[in-house]
Structure formats: C-alpha cells, structure tokens
Amino acid sequence: MPMLYLNVRHTLPMIGIRTQRNTLDASISQPRYTQETQQARSNRGATQPRLSIDTYPSRHSYGYTNHTDFARENLQRGLSGVQKGTSKHTQMAWALAEDGPKSGRQVGIEFAKRDMESIAKKQRVLVAQAIPDPEIHFDTGEAVGEPTVGRTTPHWDTEGQARIHFNRGSIETYLQQRGDIRRWVSEGKYDIRA
C-alpha cells in the first residue's frame, strides 16, 4: 500500500495600510498695488515780441491825412467857404439888380477882376518845420504760465489675515490578503505544485 503524505500549504494574512498626511495650506494673498499719477507739466510758453511803428504823425506833417483828420481840419474852412460864397453871390445879385441896367457897367467882369486881384495879392508864406519822427514801440516777449507739479498717490490693497486651510490626515488599515491553511493527502510523494 502506497504511503499517504499530508500536504499543507498556508498563506499568511496581510494587512494593508492607507495613509494620508496632514496638509496645511497657508497661502498669503499678495498685496495689490495701484496708483494715481498726475504727470508734471510745464504749462509755460512765451509771448511773441511785438514791434509797432506808427509813421502817421510824420506822414501827416507833409500832407498825408486820413479821413478823420481831413474832415476835422476842413470842416471850418468849408463852412467859412460856404458863407463867403453865399455872401459873394448875394452881393453880386444886389449889384446886378442895382447897377446891371446902368449903361457902361459890366458887373460880372468887375467881380471876376476883383476875385483875380484878391488871389494875386494874397501873401504866400513858406513855413519850414521839422517832420516828427515815427513812434516806435517794442514789447519784449515774456514767459507766461504756471507749471503743474506731478504727483503719484499709491494705493495698497491688502488682506489682514492669511488664508489657512488644514486637511486632517488619516490612517486606514484593511485586510489585504486573508490567511489560509490548505491541507490535502497525496499518495507516494509530496504534492509540491499544488
């Protein structure tokens, strides 16, 4: 009778461990920076120099007259000329009325002769006077304007506390493999492959 062999195979139980570490997230909010800026400006400029030359007084002295001065200067002369003309025509009318019909009188020719004699007897006067210099005015250029001062106003936006987030760690054990004992009987030899 063949010999009986007891075969035993066993596996040990295995315990698995899952771990999760503690984590601490303590992030800091970075400060935010903004600023208000006003650029500096010179706002400066210069006025142009100005040269003005008034030559009218010198031109007026030798006869160049504008309309205003011409009207003012000749107003009186015109009025007196009108009065003289009116008087002359009135005298001529009376002379023609009274002496015109008389024989041998030529009233028109007598008046014309009298006018010519009065023109010829007028005394001519030459006046030598200095011609005034032109009036010259010069205004220098000036720096004008007020500068604007530049400025920068900073603004920092910060949070008073850090953001902290804590994750609690954990440990978990579990049965990864169960323990087992198997037994069987073989004849004639050990069954090492089973």
Side-chain angles (χ1 to χ4, degrees):
M1 164 165 195
M3 191 164 167
L4 294 175
Y5 291 92
L6 177 63
N7 296 298
V8 178
R9 170 165 279 191
H10 73 279
T11 56
L12 296 174
M14 289 177 55
I15 297 174
I17 299 176
R18 285 191 200 103
T19 62
Q20 182 177 353
R21 297 183 179 197
N22 294 336
T23 59
L24 177 64
D25 180 17
S27 62
I28 297 174
S29 296
Q30 293 296 323
R32 291 179 304 281
Y33 175 76
T34 57
Q35 68 182 22
E36 294 176 27
T37 302
Q38 178 176 343
Q39 296 294 330
R41 299 192 182 281
S42 70
N43 296 329
R44 300 287 282 176
T47 59
Q48 292 294 323
R50 195 178 68 177
L51 175 66
S52 60
I53 302 173
D54 185 9
T55 59
Y56 182 71
S58 62
R59 290 182 294 144
H60 181 64
S61 68
Y62 55 81
Y64 175 81
T65 306
N66 63 20
H67 296 299
T68 306
D69 288 343
F70 180 80
R72 187 181 65 245
E73 291 168 0
N74 291 300
L75 172 69
Q76 205 57 32
R77 190 169 28 163
L79 290 175
S80 67
V82 168
Q83 288 173 351
K84 284 181 186 177
T86 305
S87 173
K88 178 180 161 188
H89 289 301
T90 304
Q91 288 173 7
M92 190 175 194
W94 279 109
L96 284 171
E98 292 176 358
D99 298 330
K102 294 180 183 174
S103 61
R105 294 281 311 261
Q106 295 181 345
V107 178
I109 294 173
E110 290 173 8
F111 268 96
K113 226 186 229 185
R114 225 181 298 155
D115 286 342
M116 294 296 282
E117 286 175 1
S118 69
I119 291 172
K121 287 181 180 178
K122 276 188 184 175
Q123 295 219 351
R124 304 289 179 201
V125 178
L126 294 176
V127 178
Q129 70 182 57
I131 296 174
D133 292 331
E135 295 176 9
I136 299 172
H137 299 287
F138 182 72
D139 296 330
T140 58
E142 296 178 354
V144 293
E146 289 297 321
T148 301
V149 178
R151 64 178 172 80
T152 299
T153 306
H155 299 287
W156 292 95
D157 296 325
T158 58
E159 293 182 10
Q161 296 178 346
R163 287 179 298 190
I164 298 174
H165 184 69
F166 177 72
N167 292 322
R168 187 182 300 266
S170 63
I171 297 176
E172 178 187 353
T173 58
Y174 60 94
L175 184 61
Q176 185 176 354
Q177 178 181 325
R178 303 185 93 169
D180 185 27
I181 298 176
R182 289 178 52 205
R183 300 168 303 277
W184 68 97
V185 177
S186 62
E187 291 181 20
K189 62 176 182 176
Y190 284 111
D191 185 5
I192 59 171
R193 294 189 181 173

